[in-house]
Each structure stands twice: as C-alpha cells, then as structure tokens.
Amino acid sequence: MNEPSPPDESTLTEFLTPDWGFCIRSSKKHEEFHSGLQEVEVHDSQSFGTLFRLDGHFMTSEKDEFFYHENLVHMAAITHDLPRRALIVGGGDGGTAEELFKHPSVEHITLVEIDQAVVNIAQRYLKRVHHGSLDDPRLTLKIEDGFAYVQANADPFDLIVLDLTDPGGPSTQLYTLEFYRACAARLGDNGIMTLHIASPLANPMRITETLRLLAEAFNNVVPYLISVPLYGGLWVMAFCSQRADPRKLTAEAVESRLGERGIRDLQYYNGAMHGAALALPNFIRTILPQ
C-alpha cells in the first residue's frame, strides 16, 4: 500500500467546519480567476476527473456528478405524473438540465444562472457533466438573479430545481421564506420543487432551519438523504410540494415509470434507492423541525 504524500500547493482543501474538512489533489489547474461575483477554479484530478470549484467550495466533477444531479432531479421528476416545464435556478454546469431532459415529456427548461462565467466554464471543460444539454433548443438560458426572476415572472412550472451554491454571496436570498413562497406560487398545487440543503454532520442547524422555512411555503416537505463524495459524504436534500409525496411511490412504481419513460442510463437512482433515500436514520430524525 502506497503512503500518501503530504499536502503541497496542489492540494485543494475544503473545510466543512472549522476543524473538519477534506482534500483532493489537483493534477492540473486549468483556470483560476474572479468572475466579478465569485472565485472560479477548474482542475483535473485522478479520483474525480475534471472538477469545478466556486469560492473554494467543490461544486461538481466528471466522475461523481451523478450522485448529486440524479438525486436532485429524479426524486421529483419521477413522482410527477407528466412534467413538461421546468425551472432551474443555478445549475450553470448543465448537469441538472441533462437529467431533466432524460424525461421525454419535458418540453422546455428555463435555466437562470447569475454568473455567465459558470456557463462558459461548463461549455469549455464540463461536457461530460452536461452532455450538450446547455445547447439543447428546448433550454432557455437567462443570465440574471434567480430571486428577481422568480418574483417577476408569472409563468407556471411543473418542476423547480434549486441547484445552488451554499448560502452566502450571490445565493443568500435564495434561502429565504420569501423566495420559497415565490417558487411555490410558480408551481401551483401539483408542482414539485427540490433543493440540496447541507451535510447533517457539519451543518445540522442549517437543515433544521431550512426545512422549517420550507414548511411555511409548502404543505409537503420531505427530506431525503444521499451520499455525495465530492461534498464530503452524507447530504440532505428536500422534496417540496402542496400535494405530491414521493413516499407514496413503491420501488415497483418507480421502476415502472422509469421503464415507461425509457430512462435506462442512470448510475445511482432506481426504485430501491428512491425508498432508501427517504428512509432516515435516527440521528437525522432528531434534527428535523418539530
């Protein structure tokens, strides 16, 4: 067994708490610059392939993006009977759009990304993440603030996916009750919203507070738990709707819908994993709002 080499200038580190984090060794740095909104980096790595960071936080990588994007999208899209119109807030890497387009009923996606640099980086380096979805004629890209867009736009959507950076900087307003209520108004009774929240080990109180706010905007708020290697391990996401509930779908029903829609190229999500993500361990239950 080879001994790991000590950290050096090629070691990319992200701290989840002041005393706990993880690192990935960069084999090549492609880009590092400030976009005017956030610090942008693109690296190659042996374990994750090409990876992308914003403000020192790992965002996505070629080799593990499916852990995040498949679970963020398909829990909602499979639960919905026939999703046709979707809104992505954030998601400039194109991975969420790529998963949504796997559903043949999806006719149009609006992607609202605040930073053009993120889209440019994705087009240049992350083709194995978006697989051309950013150039799909069914996608409308808007470079603007997601909070302002949702408040000003009255178009209805079947699905809203919040594919955001962690709270802070440009995304701060996107973690507020005002924004969640605006999203709920765009969805109506039958629409579904999903979002990622945080690590239950590093930020349990963020999970508690976010779920509490979501419950003031939606009748059904269902947390679920997955693993995202690039984010340091376990991660909580949330399913939000006025009527829809992913817990009502059996594993067999999920597999049936995947088959009917011709979705076969998934690396993580399936009927069994749908239920597994919804089965919360006791330590997660203790941080849910009462």
Side-chain angles (χ1 to χ4, degrees):
M1 179 174 167
N2 295 327
E3 291 294 326
S5 56
D8 57 26
E9 65 275 4
S10 70
T11 302
L12 308 174
T13 303
E14 179 174 347
F15 280 92
L16 299 177
T17 72
D19 64 351
W20 168 43
F22 60 101
C23 62
I24 299 171
R25 191 177 300 280
S26 170
S27 57
K28 181 179 181 180
K29 179 166 66 177
H30 290 288
E31 301 264 2
E32 184 174 9
F33 62 91
H34 198 281
S35 71
L37 292 168
Q38 50 203 339
E39 191 70 25
V40 178
E41 297 173 63
V42 184
H43 298 262
D44 279 342
S45 68
Q46 182 174 345
S47 296
F48 290 90
T50 301
L51 62 86
F52 168 53
R53 303 213 306 171
L54 290 174
D55 289 336
H57 298 288
F58 296 107
M59 292 289 107
T60 195
S61 79
E62 289 180 328
K63 292 187 179 182
D64 92 322
E65 59 85 21
F66 65 88
F67 287 86
Y68 174 79
H69 289 124
E70 287 188 16
N71 286 288
L72 188 63
V73 167
H74 297 300
M75 180 70 71
I78 283 294
T79 301
H80 197 285
D81 290 335
L82 198 68
R84 297 185 184 278
R85 294 177 55 82
L87 169 66
I88 303 169
V89 181
D93 58 43
T96 291
E98 193 259 340
E99 295 298 332
L100 282 168
F101 279 135
K102 291 177 181 178
H103 293 261
S105 63
V106 172
E107 298 171 351
H108 187 261
I109 296 173
T110 302
L111 193 159
V112 182
E113 165 63 56
I114 197 170
D115 196 342
Q116 179 69 56
V118 173
V119 178
N120 294 344
I121 285 293
Q123 294 282 32
R124 196 174 305 139
Y125 297 104
L126 300 175
K127 291 180 173 61
R128 293 183 181 179
V129 173
H130 62 76
H131 296 277
S133 64
L134 293 170
D135 297 316
D136 193 296
R138 294 170 292 173
L139 183 141
T140 298
L141 173 64
K142 295 182 177 293
I143 303 299
E144 58 184 278
D145 177 74
F147 184 88
Y149 176 84
V150 171
Q151 283 199 316
N153 188 287
D155 291 345
F157 295 99
D158 300 309
L159 302 174
I160 294 178
V161 183
L162 305 184
D163 186 357
L164 310 174
T165 57
D166 290 343
S171 68
T172 300
Q173 286 187 303
L174 305 179
Y175 288 88
T176 62
L177 177 57
E178 185 179 7
F179 181 64
Y180 297 149
R181 283 178 169 162
C183 288
R186 301 286 79 75
L187 287 167
D189 288 342
N190 297 313
I192 302 168
M193 183 176 84
T194 55
L195 68 159
H196 84 93
I197 302 180
S199 160
L201 299 176
N203 296 108
M205 297 310 297
R206 182 189 299 168
I207 293 168
T208 305
E209 177 62 13
T210 301
L211 292 174
R212 184 189 67 78
L213 292 176
L214 289 167
E216 293 190 40
F218 295 91
N219 293 328
N220 290 332
V221 176
V222 183
Y224 56 105
L225 182 67
I226 64 164
S227 175
V228 185
L230 192 66
Y231 296 174
L234 294 176
W235 208 262
V236 170
M237 295 183 171
F239 175 110
C240 310
S241 181
Q242 306 303 0
R243 292 182 179 173
D245 190 334
R247 296 168 294 190
K248 294 181 179 179
L249 283 183
T250 64
E252 292 75 20
V254 170
E255 291 293 344
S256 177
R257 290 190 178 191
L258 288 170
E260 290 167 0
R261 299 179 189 187
I263 302 173
R264 299 181 179 87
D265 57 343
L266 301 179
Q267 299 182 74
Y268 190 114
Y269 180 83
N270 57 37
M273 295 310 298
H274 178 98
L278 295 165
L280 302 179
N282 291 337
F283 84 94
I284 298 291
R285 294 179 181 181
T286 64
I287 64 174
L288 302 181
Q290 302 303 311

